[in-house]
Amino acid sequence: MANLNSPVGRTVDVARRAGYSVQQVRNLERDGVLPPADRSPGGHRIYREIHARSALAYRALAAGVGPVEAKRVIRAVHAGEQARALAMIDAAHAGLHTERVDLELARQAAEAIATEPITEVRGSDAMSIAELATALGVRTSTLRHWDAEGVVVPGRSAASGGARRYSPEQVRDARIVHQLRQAGYRIEQVRKVVPEFRQHSTQVREALTARDAAITARSLALLDGAAALRELLFS
């Protein structure tokens, strides 16, 4: 087990060890990520193992949960608030789990609408609520329900007394929602995944694969950060 009081050296030594610049190390000390360094008679900073370990833990945690949350965790450790630091790590793991569940939901949704040409949008696709209901084979009350739930929200036609008017993009969204509902997706699930198709309509699967890789990278970084954090908590 490491001795956190062992001397490491100057600012540049901590910077090299942690992969930061000298200024970044000073900024981390200023922000409370590193405890205050000792000073030599000449006023130079003197760092110890706890400073290097704190910088390494922060670097890994920042990749997993972002710099703001990583700073909160490290500050809690230095404040002796072990339970709070561990609770934040637990919450980060739970957040990643939720992202994975949502990702799998979107991936399954992509398969469910594989036969739906979601990228084809034409200007002539604009429809009234009655026209869209007929095209989809649903009741107008179903479309009103989707509107009320915020799943497919049409515009309103001033010329027709505020009647619903679905743009080509909204018609496409309604087709996607219809496919997902037929596949058994609940409204709350549909609400989660439709924005994915709206944002990445031409490259849905590529976007989901990229997000999967990003979540995995953050999970691994969080594991590294937790291991480094353990050294600070129990050394």
Side-chain angles (χ1 to χ4, degrees), residues 4-213:
L4 297 183
N5 287 320
S6 299
V8 169
R10 303 164 299 166
T11 309
V12 67
D13 298 312
V14 175
R16 287 170 181 162
R17 178 111 167 251
Y20 285 125
S21 69
V22 167
Q23 187 58 52
Q24 284 175 315
V25 171
R26 291 173 180 157
N27 291 344
L28 291 177
E29 182 181 352
R30 177 201 66 198
D31 294 341
V33 175
L34 309 185
D38 297 329
R39 294 281 182 165
S40 70
H44 298 292
R45 288 178 174 86
I46 300 175
Y47 290 100
R48 301 187 182 280
E49 186 67 20
I50 189 172
H51 298 100
R53 295 289 177 124
S54 296
L56 288 167
Y58 169 75
R59 186 180 185 88
L61 286 174
V65 300
V68 174
E69 188 67 8
K71 288 177 181 178
R72 291 181 62 220
V73 173
I74 302 295
R75 288 185 193 124
V77 171
H78 292 321
E81 299 173 350
Q82 176 179 318
R84 189 163 74 92
L86 293 176
M88 285 188 277
I89 294 296
D90 291 344
H93 282 295
L96 286 169
H97 171 69
T98 298
E99 289 188 45
R100 287 190 185 280
V101 171
D102 290 345
L103 175 64
E104 183 58 28
L105 182 68
R107 185 180 286 117
Q108 292 174 2
E111 296 302 321
I113 65 169
T115 60
E116 179 67 30
I118 63 174
T119 62
E120 184 181 351
V121 175
R122 300 180 298 271
S124 59
D125 286 340
M127 294 182 179
S128 68
I129 188 171
E131 291 169 335
L132 182 55
T134 299
L136 295 178
V138 300
R139 296 179 179 179
T140 55
S141 61
T142 298
L143 295 178
R144 292 190 182 95
H145 177 59
W146 294 354
D147 184 358
E149 291 291 337
V151 176
V152 182
V153 180
R156 298 282 180 161
S157 173
S160 302
R164 291 174 174 85
R165 185 69 179 173
Y166 292 83
S167 70
E169 291 78 11
Q170 291 158 353
V171 170
R172 181 198 60 196
D173 288 350
R175 286 159 53 192
I176 294 171
V177 170
H178 183 50
Q179 288 285 324
L180 292 176
R181 292 290 284 159
Q182 286 188 317
Y185 280 73
R186 301 188 302 274
I187 285 293
E188 59 267 24
Q189 293 175 318
V190 172
R191 191 185 295 111
K192 283 186 176 182
V193 300
V194 166
E196 194 72 52
F197 300 102
R198 189 179 297 129
Q199 184 177 359
H200 303 290
S201 60
T202 60
Q203 295 177 320
V204 173
R205 289 175 179 80
E206 291 87 345
L208 296 179
T209 298
R211 190 199 296 176
D212 190 12

